[in-house]
Amino acid sequence: MKVFLSVDMEGISGLTDPEEMRAGGRGYERGCELMTGDANAAIRAAFDAGAERVVVTDSHGSGKNLRADLIDERCTLVRGPYKPMRMGEGLDPSFDVALYVGYHARAGAPRGVLNHTWMGREIQNVHLNGDVAGEIRLMAAYAGSLGVPVGLVAGDEAACEEARDVLGGVETVAVKTGRDRYAAELIPPARAQALIYERTLRALHNPEGWHRLTIPAPYTLRVEWNSTSIAQSCSLIPGVKLADPRTTEFTTSDYSDVVGLLGVCATLAGDIGCTGRQYG
């Protein structure tokens, strides 16, 4: 069995503050350790379930958050910024299953801890073929386009609810329940990581519970930005058009173009409009 593990940070056990997500912020170094601990719980379960190979992608921000010196030595780690497929970098059709740990709810989700879609403040909404899409839907669709099902999603309760809405009865692990965007009732990390291990092990022993999200081509990505200047700049990319002064649209028959385009647009948006608090 070959397992792909994508690890984001906002849905990691014990974390609620934007400062804990940002290099140089108060609590960030401890946040990286907690992120690595949650990842290791899933990695250990994967190998205990019989995986021959586990590939882990650091899917948060700069992609330099997971502690390479503390990660389970049996896996391989994809890290660094500007990865072409971002949160899905390293995934290909040879994998049996994808696992998502540390994931969060989409922008605007009620009681979603640190809820956002792709960027903390620049993106208001994303729609994929007419359906509102957070990172769970976007990444599950990428896996599905490669023929790979999703076996587990771990994050806050709102993220788990979103995962079940997108993927039906997929195994989930809620490590915290949002009180507001920046506050949550937490399961202490040691117990949360034990839950991640147990649920991952259970999920990998039950392939009938894996769910592949299949979205028919062509794919239309609609992004509502918080700024007309971001939308205008992104519309200069060939194939991208303005749907209204703050919204861009792009249609393709290759889903990898959707992921790649979001990455390029996010880089542009960050340069144009990323000031102040990351999630402000």
Side-chain angles (χ1 to χ4, degrees), residues 3 41-46 49 99 101 151-152 154 171 173 195-205:
V3 176
I43 296 166
R44 182 163 59 91
L99 311 174
V101 169
L152 173 130
E171 188 78 61
V173 189
L195 283 172
I196 292 170
Y197 172 82
E198 292 167 8
R199 300 282 176 83
T200 304
L201 191 64
R202 183 168 73 185
L204 294 180
H205 280 309

Side-chain angles (χ1 to χ4, degrees), residues 78-212:
V78 180
R79 72 188 303 270
Y82 310 120
K83 300 183 290 290
M85 292 295 103
R86 307 296 166 127
M87 302 176 81
E89 185 69 27
L91 182 63
D92 63 48
S94 69
F95 284 85
D96 295 288
V97 64
L99 311 174
Y100 300 145
V101 169
Y103 271 53
H104 54 81
R106 64 177 178 81
R111 296 186 182 272
V113 182
L114 298 162
N115 65 79
H116 66 282
T117 301
W118 212 258
M119 302 189 76
R121 58 180 293 171
E122 289 80 8
I123 292 176
Q124 299 298 306
N125 271 305
V126 173
H127 288 82
L128 178 62
N129 284 16
D131 292 323
V132 65
E135 291 166 29
I136 293 170
R137 182 182 292 275
L138 291 167
M139 288 297 100
Y142 178 55
S145 73
L146 299 173
V148 180
V150 177
L152 173 130
V153 177
D156 68 297
E157 180 57 46
C160 292
E161 290 176 3
E162 187 174 320
R164 292 189 292 268
D165 181 60
V166 171
L167 293 164
V170 70
E171 188 78 61
T172 60
V173 189
V175 301
K176 52 194 170 190
T177 301
R179 298 293 186 178
D180 200 352
R181 199 183 190 200
Y182 306 116
E185 181 178 353
L186 306 170
I187 297 175
R191 184 152 55 94
Q193 289 165 14
L195 283 172
I196 292 170
Y197 172 82
E198 292 167 8
R199 300 282 176 83
T200 304
L201 191 64
R202 183 168 73 185
L204 294 180
H205 280 309
N206 180 34
E208 293 79 11
W210 302 351
H211 293 265
R212 177 183 168 192

Side-chain angles (χ1 to χ4, degrees), residues 127-131 215-222:
H127 288 82
L128 178 62
N129 284 16
D131 292 323
I215 298 176
Y219 311 104
T220 296
L221 182 74
R222 184 181 176 97

